């Protein structure tokens, strides 16, 4: 059973590596098509959805901006999820797509408000600039939250359950700190559990930070008044 778990975990790791290489090859083969396709799927569509939520909340319904901020935290998450689940693009790529989505959507919102209310498009005060930057930051962090969430589910948790692979030197040292008067098999199993826990805690900590940052920056401007 342990050998089968090891084989499954190794196959899962190789499949992730293969998917990552295939994504890089697709970009190198047709870079323009690759960029345009992914920009349309992971930047344009979420930006349009965010703009639609902005129009509905602030113009058509004219209700509290709190609903818009909540929608702006929720909408980018599925696209961050799909970015890794479908295309195997990780945190760095998700950050880039998140920044592009945030910039495009916030600029579209500013233009819409400027045209409808006949006011300057760009913020005129430092406070307005800060609110716009915080709003864009909440969108980007929500994008990262979705990416880290699916990474935690599809990558870290199965490895932690299987507890497979040779433990690293750091994991072995930590295992020895918890007691050296055990057999080699017990020490190896302990080191494996520590190593897989470390792999899980990384994405989990990132998930907590990005989710908390997205909620804080997204709702700060509304709840602070």
């Amino acid at each position: 059973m342990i050998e089968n778990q090891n084989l499954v975990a190794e196959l899962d790791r190789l499949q992730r590596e293969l998917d990552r290489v295939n994504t890089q090859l697709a970009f190198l083969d047709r870079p323009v098509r690759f960029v345009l396709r992914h920009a349309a799927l992971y930047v344009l569509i979420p930006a349009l959805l965010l703009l639609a939520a902005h129009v509905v909340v602030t113009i058509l319904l004219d209700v509290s901006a709190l609903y818009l901020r909540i929608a702006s935290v929720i909408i980018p998450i599925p696209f961050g999820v799909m970015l890794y689940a479908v295309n195997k693009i990780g945190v760095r790529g998700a950050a880039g797509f998140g920044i592009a989505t945030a910039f495009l959507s916030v600029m579209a919102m500013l233009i819409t408000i400027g045209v409808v209310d006949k006011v300057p498009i760009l913020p005129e005060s430092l406070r307005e600039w800060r609110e716009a930057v915080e709003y864009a930051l909440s969108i980007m962090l929500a994008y990262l939250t979705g990416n880290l969430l699916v990474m935690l589910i599809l990558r870290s948790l199965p490895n932690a359950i299987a507890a497979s692979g040779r433990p690293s030197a750091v994991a072995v040292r930590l295992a020895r700190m918890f007691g050296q008067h055990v057999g080699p098999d017990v020490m190896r199993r302990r080191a494996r559990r520590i190593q897989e826990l470390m792999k899980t805690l990384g994405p989990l900590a990132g998930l907590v930070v990005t989710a908390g940052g997205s909620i804080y920056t997204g709702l700060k401007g509304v709840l602070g008044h």
Side-chain angles (χ1 to χ4, degrees):
M1 291 175 61
I2 294 175
E3 289 178 355
N4 288 336
Q5 290 177 347
N6 292 341
L7 288 174
V8 169
E10 181 65 15
L11 287 174
D12 181 68
R13 185 189 67 79
L14 291 174
Q15 184 62 54
R16 291 197 308 268
E17 184 67 19
L18 178 62
D19 293 336
R20 185 183 64 82
V21 172
N22 286 335
T23 300
Q24 293 178 348
L25 290 176
F27 171 74
L28 295 175
D29 184 36
R30 296 181 178 180
V32 176
R33 179 181 178 182
F34 183 92
V35 171
L36 292 178
R37 180 173 177 270
H38 284 73
L41 289 174
Y42 298 113
V43 176
L44 182 60
I45 293 178
L48 290 176
L49 291 176
L50 290 166
L51 178 61
H54 172 75
V55 171
V56 170
V57 171
T58 61
I59 298 177
L60 298 181
L61 300 180
D62 193 19
V63 294
S64 172
L66 177 63
Y67 299 104
L68 175 62
R69 296 304 180 96
I70 294 175
S72 298
V73 172
I74 295 175
I75 289 174
I77 291 178
F79 293 92
V81 169
M82 291 189 298
L83 195 64
Y84 184 83
V86 177
N87 299 101
K88 298 300 180 292
I89 297 177
V91 174
R92 288 182 297 179
F97 281 102
I99 292 172
T101 301
F103 176 81
L104 181 61
S105 57
V106 171
M107 284 301 302
M109 293 176 190
L110 292 174
I111 292 173
T112 302
I113 290 296
V115 172
V116 173
D117 295 341
K118 295 181 173 58
V119 296
I121 293 176
L122 295 178
E124 295 185 298
S125 66
L126 182 61
R127 177 181 177 181
E128 291 178 349
W129 273 109
R130 185 179 67 251
E131 290 179 351
V133 171
E134 289 177 350
Y135 185 34
L137 183 61
S138 71
I139 295 173
M140 188 271 289
L141 290 176
Y143 213 113
L144 279 176
T145 298
N147 191 263
L148 287 169
L149 177 63
V150 71
M151 186 181 298
L152 180 67
I153 295 174
L154 297 182
R155 181 176 178 179
S156 299
L157 292 184
N159 288 342
I161 294 173
S164 61
R166 178 176 297 178
S168 63
V170 175
V172 172
R173 292 193 190 97
L174 291 175
R176 289 174 179 172
M177 291 174 60
F178 290 98
Q180 300 182 2
H181 303 290
V182 294
D185 292 337
V186 175
M187 182 67 69
R188 184 164 51 250
R189 288 196 297 268
R190 180 186 297 172
R192 284 177 176 175
R193 286 194 294 268
I194 292 175
Q195 177 170 292
E196 298 306 329
L197 181 61
M198 292 167 59
K199 291 181 180 179
T200 304
L201 288 179
L204 181 59
L207 176 63
V208 172
V209 171
T210 55
S214 177
I215 294 173
Y216 174 75
T217 55
L219 303 183
K220 175 186 175 183
V222 177
L223 300 179
H225 295 298

